[in-house]
Amino acid sequence: MAVTLADVAARAGVSSATVSRVLNGNYPVAGSTRERVRRAVAELDYVVNGQARALAAATSDLVGVLVNDVADPFFGLIASAVQAEISAGAAPGGGKLAVVCNTGGSPEAELTYLTLLERQRAAGVVLTGGAVESAEHTAAVTARLTRLAASGANVVLCGRPPLTLPDSGLVAATVAFDNRGGARRLTEHLLSLGHRRIGYVTGPVERSTSRHRLEGHRAALAASGTRITSDPEAYAERLTVHGTYDRASGYDAALELLRRDAGLTAIVAANDTVALGVCAALRDQGLSIPGDVSVAGFDDLPFSADVSPALTTVRIPLQEAGARAGRLVMGRLSPPPGGVATIRTELMVRGSTAPPSDRSD
């Protein structure tokens, strides 16, 4: 049975009129009361205009594009390519309105935007970037995407792990990135140069992208047969620092890695922006790149080839991936076999990596 406005009011301990005022946002309501209503809405999975949603599964001309950080070039490139495809349409006047929703990396904001898009009967939704690896959050996202799909919306994941929608048993159309393979090839490159003391700056521990790239790095170390100490796994763990996907995190993490092992000859960063912070920290410590320490990133963002020295990194064709996601959400491209298309990555070897110097001896 569908949850009603009265059910929400009873759960929050307020009148139905108060619930309506909070949801419509057109009348002042005390902060504590507003929070109780919002909590009740979330707990009951109440959707405004649920009856209208059930009528013929009609959709609007709105397509939501969820990004973690609109100021991050990684998400900007994807979002702009998605938006271009959504706005283009199959014929003159056939496009739709793309709305970019900036979650700020907040799981709660991600759920809120999905609920809002459901209320607006969005024609489609594209979720970009790594997923939060929490069973509770995954279940909540899956429930919302299932309802959106049931209402006629096209659901596309871009740069996220595949997700099965339980009611249909289908996998949401997914444009996945080969993060593990790319990270493995990057570390293999450093090992082939002769590096054995390699630090790693990873992203937030709860993000799928962080885990996949770290797994690729560790797989390369394990396969190389490198024996740094009697306990190489513990050594690799000690030379891994978690942070966020920004420059400041890279700076602080590089200093921490040097504190743990002053003889490091290479540092791999979670992404290119983090790598910039790593480079700044090394220079502030009087170390040269790659003379003293090699540095590598991931993503191949536009600035990567222009910094000095140019950054060795792993290229993800972000605009190509975004355009593909845009065509999928617009229904102009058939879903790939099994629902998942994996975008291959490419190792871009540039001036920031070189064989280690005698400094490590």
Side-chain angles (χ1 to χ4, degrees), residues 56 73 92 134 150 201 205 222 259 267 287 336:
S134 155
V201 183
V205 67
R259 186 191 67 78
I267 297 178
L287 299 172

Side-chain angles (χ1 to χ4, degrees), residues 305-322:
D306 297 325
V307 296
S308 183
L311 187 64
T312 291
T313 185
V314 174
R315 181 175 185 268
I316 301 177
L318 296 172
Q319 290 177 303
E320 174 190 324

Side-chain angles (χ1 to χ4, degrees), residues 3 10-11 27 31 35 44 52 96 119 164 180 190 236 242 263 309 316 324 329 359:
V3 177
R11 174 66 68 92
Y27 193 89
E35 179 57 32
L44 294 174
K96 294 186 181 296
R119 292 175 184 172
T164 299
R180 287 190 185 89
L190 292 171
H242 285 273
I316 301 177
R324 188 167 187 171
V329 80
R359 170 179 167 274

Side-chain angles (χ1 to χ4, degrees), residues 74-91:
F74 176 92
F75 293 103
L77 289 168
I78 294 176
S80 64
V82 173
Q83 187 170 19
E85 291 290 336
I86 292 171
S87 302

Side-chain angles (χ1 to χ4, degrees), residues 5-7 9 14-21:
L5 198 74
D7 295 329
V14 298
S15 68
S16 295
T18 297
V19 173
S20 180
R21 288 166 180 165

Side-chain angles (χ1 to χ4, degrees), residues 81-206:
V82 173
Q83 187 170 19
E85 291 290 336
I86 292 171
S87 302
K96 294 186 181 296
L97 174 64
V99 176
V100 177
C101 307
N102 185 46
T103 69
S106 165
E108 294 78 14
E110 183 172 77
L111 295 176
T112 297
Y113 278 124
L114 289 175
T115 299
L116 290 172
L117 290 169
E118 185 180 358
R119 292 175 184 172
Q120 296 298 318
R121 296 181 293 161
V125 58
V126 179
L127 276 72
T128 69
V132 174
E133 297 194 312
S134 155
E136 180 181 359
H137 182 70
T138 299
V141 169
T142 302
R144 284 161 174 78
L145 294 181
T146 299
R147 291 199 299 265
L148 277 159
S151 73
N154 289 332
V155 175
V156 179
L157 310 179
C158 185
R160 292 174 75 109
L163 198 62
T164 299
L165 305 182
D167 287 356
S168 63
L170 298 175
V171 176
T174 303
V175 180
F177 301 155
D178 183 20
N179 286 307
R180 287 190 185 89
R184 179 166 184 158
R185 287 190 293 276
L186 182 58
T187 299
E188 287 172 345
H189 163 66
L190 292 171
L191 291 167
S192 72
L193 292 174
H195 293 279
R196 296 297 181 266
R197 301 166 78 170
I198 305 172
Y200 192 91
V201 183
T202 187
V205 67
E206 73 280 2

